[in-house]
Amino acid sequence: MLVWNPNQEPDIAGYKIYYAYLSGGDDHGIFYNVIVGNQTSYPLFDVLDEGKAGWYSLAVTAYTLSGLESVFSEPVYFFISGDDFDTDGDGIPDIADNCPQAYNP
């Protein structure tokens, strides 16, 4: 689970998560974003390329009701091995999950 501190501005409408796969290939270093609404946590594996092990970079921004967007948070860099993926977010890595596409802890 990715968790961040809320922005204290009174007119925050939500947050965006920006991420990039950094381990080479055609998409090396290209940033993507996911609009997650007005919440301060989000399942990490919902923003990563399913089953793609390697280095990632991730940052969060806040956006206002009028469409203004904050600067990026400090980036987080991390490595995901193929054994770490939990596609359905049930706490059981795909490698050990009998139904990796269905939440069944």
Side-chain angles (χ1 to χ4, degrees):
M1 182 69 67
L2 176 65
V3 179
W4 58 93
N5 293 325
N7 186 300
Q8 299 303 313
E9 299 294 322
D11 62 341
I12 294 300
Y15 299 91
K16 291 181 184 179
I17 298 172
Y18 287 83
Y19 66 98
Y21 180 68
L22 303 175
S23 291
D26 293 338
D27 58 352
H28 177 76
I30 297 173
F31 271 86
Y32 302 94
N33 73 70
V34 177
I35 298 171
V36 299
N38 199 6
Q39 58 187 354
T40 57
S41 66
Y42 197 75
L44 179 62
F45 287 103
D46 286 0
V47 298
L48 302 181
D49 295 326
E50 184 177 327
K52 189 180 264 190
W55 283 98
Y56 287 84
S57 174
L58 188 141
V60 177
T61 64
Y63 59 90
T64 65
L65 296 170
S66 61
L68 297 175
E69 190 170 357
S70 72
V71 298
F72 290 100
S73 66
E74 287 294 319
V76 175
Y77 300 95
F78 54 94
F79 183 82
I80 300 291
S81 75
D83 295 342
D84 293 329
F85 279 92
D86 179 16
T87 303
D88 58 12
D90 62 6
I92 301 169
D94 287 354
I95 196 167
D97 197 334
N98 65 338
C99 298
Q101 300 294 323
Y103 183 87
N104 61 338

